[in-house]
Amino acid sequence: MTTQRHYSPIDRLLLQADAAMRTLLPFSGQPHRPSPAIVQPDAQMSDEDTRHVAGLMRINHTGEVCAQALYQGQALTAKLPQVREAMEHAAEEEIDHLVWCEQRIHQLGSHTSVLNPLFYGMSFGIGAVAGLISDKVSLGFVAATEHQVCKHLNEHLEQLPAEDEKSRAILEQMRVDEEHHAESALQAGGFRFPAPVKFGMSLLAKVMTKSTYRI
């Protein structure tokens, strides 16, 4: 018979600090699944296309940094144990995306965004506040965020050069996973955010994408 371990507030803060370091330090995450890009052939792209794809993958990598922070912040303040566990589990699944994007960025000869610590801190704060309000709002925020991510992934898939099958395989699998996370959050009782709130989230997302495309 196994018993569930109960962590003190100090334990949870230490775990959050460890999660932040594993998210922000290069190549510190350990994926649970191999990258979908592994089985795809290498392609020759022009310098311009390579820089553009690297910029898109950098945006997606920062998006995954934000997702990690959001889930960790929500897990810290979630009221129901099952909601906290769901947030922690989702964060583990998002690590795959984080590592896949980072690997692809370096394959393209580029770098992750220097703004990642800033966006991590902002997203962690948003997640913690959502969790403090209620688990229903917290789950609803997950669903709305994941729907926004899927929208960006669709836009990026349209912009990829036809020959870049590696990046395409990564983004397509990410889209499948994000759609699942969104639906799971709603099925768990997440609040469906009204259009004005979603519009505000969209504006914040644009700030992130514009700033991280190059830096």
Side-chain angles (χ1 to χ4, degrees):
M1 180 177 179
T2 59
T3 58
Q4 184 178 357
R5 181 176 178 181
H6 295 281
Y7 294 101
S8 70
I10 296 298
D11 289 333
R12 290 197 172 279
L13 285 174
L14 292 174
L15 289 170
Q16 299 300 334
D18 178 68
M21 296 298 289
R22 286 188 286 110
T23 299
L24 295 172
L25 291 178
F27 298 106
S28 57
Q30 296 296 322
H32 300 280
R33 297 170 292 176
S35 171
I38 291 177
V39 297
Q40 301 300 328
D42 289 314
Q44 293 295 324
M45 295 188 290
S46 67
D47 291 342
E48 181 180 358
D49 281 347
T50 299
R51 286 192 296 271
H52 180 55
V53 173
L56 296 180
M57 297 306 290
R58 183 160 42 249
I59 290 171
N60 289 310
H61 179 266
T62 298
E64 294 305 318
V65 168
C66 292
Q68 282 291 310
L70 179 67
Y71 283 129
Q72 295 296 342
Q74 289 170 312
L76 183 65
T77 57
K79 302 189 174 47
L80 296 176
Q82 59 267 34
V83 173
R84 181 181 298 114
E85 291 170 7
M87 294 298 178
E88 292 171 345
H89 178 67
E92 290 178 359
E93 291 185 342
E94 296 284 358
I95 290 176
D96 289 350
H97 303 168
L98 187 79
V99 176
W100 297 347
C101 289
E102 185 176 17
Q103 291 172 344
R104 186 59 181 148
I105 289 168
H106 285 278
Q107 288 171 359
L108 294 165
S110 193
H111 58 86
T112 56
S113 177
V114 298
L115 300 176
N116 283 344
L118 172 63
F119 285 113
Y120 186 96
M122 292 173 57
S123 299
F124 185 91
I126 291 171
V129 170
L132 284 172
I133 295 172
S134 75
D135 287 336
K136 186 174 183 178
V137 168
S138 186
L139 289 166
F141 199 86
V142 168
T145 300
E146 298 292 23
H147 284 145
Q148 186 66 47
V149 170
C150 288
K151 179 181 177 181
H152 286 154
L153 290 172
N154 287 333
E155 292 172 354
H156 291 179
L157 283 166
E158 291 179 358
Q159 296 181 45
L160 287 179
E163 62 270 25
D164 186 6
E165 296 181 37
K166 284 185 175 293
S167 298
R168 186 172 303 279
I170 292 172
L171 297 189
E172 286 179 343
Q173 184 58 54
M174 286 174 60
R175 182 174 59 184
V176 170
D177 293 344
E178 306 295 10
E179 288 174 346
H180 174 69
H181 290 162
E183 292 306 312
S184 295
L186 291 176
Q187 290 173 8
F191 176 72
R192 292 183 182 272
F193 284 9
V197 175
K198 291 182 179 179
F199 178 73
M201 293 174 64
S202 178
L203 291 179
L204 290 174
K206 286 182 179 179
V207 172
M208 185 273 284
T209 58
K210 293 292 185 182
S211 59
T212 58
Y213 178 75
R214 296 186 185 280
I215 58 176

